[in-house]
Amino acid sequence: MSSDEKFDAIVIGAGPAGSACAYVLAREGRSVLVVERGGSVGSKNVTGGRLYTYALEMVEPDLYKRAPLQRKVVREQIMMLGSTNAMTVDYVDYDYGGEVPQSYSVLRAAFDEWFAGEAELQGAMMATGILVDELIEENGKIVGIKAGEDEMYAEVVIAADGVNSFIAQKAGLRPDITANLVGVGVKEIIELPDNLIEARFNLNHDEGAARVAIGCTEGISGGAFLYTNRGSLSLGIVFNPEQAAQNGKRIQEIMQDFKMHPAIAPLISGGTTVEYAAHLVPELGLSGMPKVLYRDGLVIIGDAAGFGINTGLIIRGMDLAIVSGVAAARAVIKATEASAVGPLYMQELENLMVMPSQRFFAGWHHIFEINRLFAAYPQMVNEMMNFMFTVNGSVPEKIPRALYSIMKKYVSMGQLAADGWKGFKSI
């Protein structure tokens, strides 16, 4: 196409952020082209996690009812793994599955395909199997993209091309990703009959559980997750790649050891792994984001912008990606000229609570710098639980003294105080 023939917006990437942006723009009558590198939308996303429904409600009320969501999450579980034992905290709140359930487990391949289809129904144009090679720039303004020999033009280009965003790098908004900025996520989908899932996790037919675990990454900073789906489980670990390389740990070995743990193996027993993949995830929250999220004619959204929250207990990414896509669409709609889109986008990120959320959790990633959190403390807690519940006919040592003796095996009072202070400062 010529520079005189242009779209209102070109969106690069058809993940949740890109599809949300395209949906809103197309619904409001804007001409939108979505360019996706995968041969089909969702083909590069093999597993999933959790989606908080408020984000879809921002795109359109009741949109979640049409989405291919899995189970509404009513059980929040925290697991601390020892070598052969585990302590699990199980919190259940049936209000989470109320009139508009707070969150659902989701499989990204199916969800991404559906969401892109919904954007198409609104009028967006989808082009799959296209790799963007270059940005087209005129007088300091981004005016389009180049894919092979093809050039496509737009009033604004919206980069939603993931955590290792080639477009953000080409635009000079961020350098190449380094190991300290991301975590490596290894995920599997394990097929399992619904009746076994519901029995093993104490669920009714449409209810789900979300579990996080620590003590499963062989002392490396990181943790695990497990989400119940319809007919399957999403199981995975996320850990620091730099530490794993330094310790000589192979990704597949860490994952296999986790699956074989005596507290995990019974949950997946009889299941069949049908999908497996590894990918990068934003880990540092606000401090890992580019300092600037736009240029004249370009904005970056979703993982490309580094939006993500990981407190160890709360893991958020998809909802922030979707809301950032909505923010970008609203900015384009409000702008009277292309140069105004960037500042308006930043204002919308404030209005929709994306940036306030990033700032609120800005220091939480420092908790993961406490190395004892990933080995010593889980082992210590489990040994204390073993002492509390072991009955063998003998008279045990007085409880305070016994617990103190166990603690000293793993951490000194000074180390405990230092870790507690670091954790307090982080939050």
Side-chain angles (χ1 to χ4, degrees), residues 130-349:
I130 295 178
L131 175 64
V132 177
D133 298 309
E134 297 286 346
L135 292 168
I136 302 173
E137 184 174 339
E138 294 179 0
N139 300 318
K141 178 181 183 297
I142 305 302
V143 297
I145 61 172
K146 186 174 182 179
E149 297 300 318
D150 295 322
E151 294 183 351
M152 290 154 274
Y153 294 87
E155 292 293 338
V156 62
V157 174
I158 299 164
D161 55 332
V163 61
N164 195 19
S165 174
F166 171 78
I167 300 302
Q169 293 173 39
K170 279 288 185 181
L173 294 178
R174 73 178 315 157
D176 196 5
I177 289 292
T178 56
N180 66 308
L181 296 177
V182 296
V184 173
V186 183
K187 302 180 180 180
E188 293 187 18
I189 287 182
I190 301 173
E191 284 189 345
L192 201 64
D194 281 324
N195 65 314
L196 291 182
I197 292 174
E198 288 154 13
R200 292 174 183 180
F201 291 90
N202 194 21
L203 303 168
N204 291 322
H205 73 282
D206 61 343
E207 295 173 347
R211 179 174 298 196
V212 294
I214 60 172
C216 52
T217 51
E218 303 187 28
I220 298 168
S221 175
F225 60 85
L226 189 157
Y227 300 107
T228 56
N229 309 311
R230 296 187 184 276
S232 70
L233 302 174
S234 292
L235 181 73
I237 54 175
V238 181
F239 55 88
N240 183 287
E242 200 168 34
Q243 291 181 26
Q246 291 170 353
N247 294 353
K249 301 295 185 181
R250 296 166 62 90
I251 293 174
Q252 62 269 33
E253 291 174 353
I254 297 174
M255 182 66 168
Q256 190 61 28
D257 288 345
F258 171 56
K259 291 171 63 179
M260 295 298 292
H261 190 282
I264 298 298
L267 299 176
I268 61 176
S269 176
T272 302
T273 297
V274 294
E275 294 179 356
Y276 179 96
H279 68 105
L280 301 178
V281 294
E283 281 286 278
L284 299 188
L286 184 66
S287 63
M289 292 173 57
K291 300 302 181 185
V292 181
L293 302 182
Y294 67 91
R295 278 186 54 185
D296 191 4
L298 173 76
V299 298
I300 56 175
I301 64 176
D303 280 357
F307 292 125
I309 293 170
N310 181 5
T311 70
L313 304 180
I314 300 171
I315 303 171
R316 294 171 55 188
M318 279 182 276
D319 64 306
L320 297 170
I322 289 171
V323 178
S324 70
V326 173
R330 291 186 180 184
V332 172
I333 292 165
K334 289 181 178 180
T336 56
E337 55 185 30
S339 61
V341 171
L344 284 170
Y345 171 54
M346 298 307 299
Q347 186 57 57
E348 288 297 328
L349 290 175

